[in-house]
Amino acid sequence: QVQVVESGGGLVQAGGSLRLSCAVSGSILPVLTMGWYRQAPGKQRDLVATITSDGVTNYADSVKGRFTISRDNHKNTMYLQMNNLKPEDTALYSCRGNKLQLDYWGQGTQVTVSS
């Protein structure tokens, strides 16, 4: 059974940085499109960034220029480097891996940005 585990969340002041990690078991990560999503309390879950198996990236407008998504297929891990964090970035960040009928989600890691 594939497991998806996020880590790296925490409390940071505005302007600070965090690096999130997403580890996927089963050596399946290389074929998956990977993505980060976030959900703030009382709001819908939104796409933050995605990266295809070929390394093509896509970002939400709100994080362009501040966040960088990357992947290390040898380590079966995906990352999200978040710089210049803002209070509005506060949310539960979840990792997703998908390809055709395969769709895997992690439990999420909380990011809280104080003003």
Side-chain angles (χ1 to χ4, degrees):
Q1 183 175 353
V2 174
Q3 291 186 322
V4 179
V5 180
E6 303 96 335
S7 61
L11 174 64
V12 64
Q13 289 186 332
S17 299
L18 284 174
R19 188 194 195 202
L20 305 184
S21 298
C22 171
V24 180
S25 67
S27 300
I28 196 174
L29 182 142
V31 304
L32 301 175
T33 290
M34 300 298 298
W36 287 100
Y37 295 75
R38 67 186 182 186
Q39 186 170 21
K43 295 187 176 181
Q44 68 179 17
R45 184 165 59 191
D46 292 327
L47 171 71
V48 176
T50 59
I51 182 167
T52 69
S53 57
D54 295 330
V56 177
T57 60
N58 179 57
Y59 295 92
D61 288 342
S62 59
V63 306
K64 283 181 180 177
R66 299 188 298 123
F67 291 10
T68 303
I69 190 171
S70 62
R71 62 193 294 160
D72 186 333
N73 289 339
H74 295 293
K75 294 183 177 180
N76 294 302
T77 303
M78 176 185 65
Y79 306 96
L80 185 69
Q81 178 66 44
M82 305 186 295
N83 298 327
N84 190 22
L85 282 161
K86 304 176 181 180
E88 51 263 42
D89 294 319
T90 295
L92 181 70
Y93 284 70
S94 297
C95 169
R96 181 190 187 193
N98 68 291
K99 180 182 174 68
L100 299 178
Q101 74 277 15
L102 303 176
D103 196 1
Y104 307 107
W105 287 88
Q107 294 297 310
T109 185
Q110 179 68 36
V111 172
T112 302
V113 185
S114 63
S115 58

